[in-house]
Amino acid sequence: MATQVTATRAPHTLALLAGASGLVLLVMLIRLVVFAQAPAPLPAIGWSVMPWNAFVTRHACTTAYWKAATNVRREPDVYAPSTYWSGRVDANGRDIPLFIGPYAVDPYEYPPTFLLLPRLVAAATPDFPAFRLLWGVLAIAVVIAGVAVVARRIDRANGTRSLWLMPLALVPLGILATFQGGNAQLLFVTLAMLAMLAFERQHHAIGGLLLGYAIVGKLFPGLLIVYLVARRQWRAVAWTSGWAIAITLVAIADMGWAPFAHFLDHMPR
């Protein structure tokens, strides 16, 4: 009898929990959109996901993506301190960064191949605020869709209710602060997750494209190649390798070889 009560109550409880967490997530996403459109962080500080944290409120990883994506043809060394440092120091001897509006420019630390996506977004936007907003919308949409797809796969395979709890994976402040700052880590983790799911469903071309870009864009997803080799999933390895080479060649054709030469010099540091 106790088992039957638990079984009948569980969906209702999960629905309430999912509804409450989904409402919180919706409110926080609205806050993110309002904050992203503000001309400066301070007038909109109350809309920040962490208004009490000055670093989170004033920090935007997207400054590095925008500056590198828009300047790479004129200044191929996107890793040079001159791209994010003003060359001056303050009264305490600390380096004064360059600014894009109210945001200090972040150092760019990714391979040049990563810039293909930011360059596409930059081509569709007139300025940094629009770039920041579109990049954030794109990243949030991909992450939410990716989490939902993977949750559905877990539910179907194991009879669980992961999809109901999906909003709980996205409402922690650490996740929301990542969205607000525009950091690309979650986006690339999601791309790698979706790639592995595509391989499982025998969609090797799609999986190879997603994982190939994740690898040449961020490097760390390359560990999944070791996993695929260990499982002897040679079609997945071949499609991923082929797409990774093709994407790299496209990046070289678009930006030239110089950014890659600078990356090879910068990476050991």
Side-chain angles (χ1 to χ4, degrees), residues 79-177:
Y79 311 97
S82 59
T83 63
Y84 55 87
W85 177 39
S86 66
R88 297 177 290 113
V89 296
D90 61 17
N92 297 316
R94 292 175 297 191
D95 295 336
I96 298 176
L98 294 171
F99 281 81
I100 300 178
Y103 297 100
V105 176
D106 243 17
Y108 180 78
E109 297 288 354
Y110 305 159
T113 328
F114 168 88
L115 289 175
L116 285 178
L117 182 57
R119 281 179 62 76
L120 286 174
V121 176
T125 51
D127 50 30
F128 173 70
F131 173 89
R132 180 168 173 254
L133 179 60
L134 181 56
W135 177 271
V137 170
L138 175 65
I140 291 171
V142 171
V143 171
I144 290 178
V147 172
V149 169
V150 172
R152 282 176 59 85
R153 185 268 184 200
I154 294 172
D155 288 351
R156 185 168 55 252
N158 301 314
T160 57
R161 297 187 176 93
S162 305
L163 191 60
W164 289 87
L165 302 175
M166 185 191 74
L168 291 177
L170 300 170
V171 295
L173 289 179
I175 301 296
L176 294 170

Side-chain angles (χ1 to χ4, degrees), residues 18 22 24 50 52 74 93 108 126 128 134 166 188 194 196 207 220-221 227 243 245 249 256:
V24 172
M50 298 173 65
W52 59 87
R74 296 190 303 272
Y108 180 78
F128 173 70
L134 181 56
M166 185 191 74
F188 275 78
L194 291 173
M196 300 305 285
F220 72 83
Y227 174 80
W243 274 117
I245 293 171
L249 292 176

Side-chain angles (χ1 to χ4, degrees), residues 44-87:
I45 191 170
W47 293 94
S48 170
V49 296
M50 298 173 65
W52 59 87
N53 189 310
F55 174 79
V56 171
T57 301
R58 294 172 175 266
H59 179 75
C61 297
T62 42
T63 54
Y65 312 157
W66 165 265
K67 188 165 180 61
T70 54
N71 287 1
V72 65
R73 284 185 172 179
R74 296 190 303 272
E75 302 174 15
D77 189 359
V78 292
Y79 311 97
S82 59
T83 63
Y84 55 87
W85 177 39
S86 66

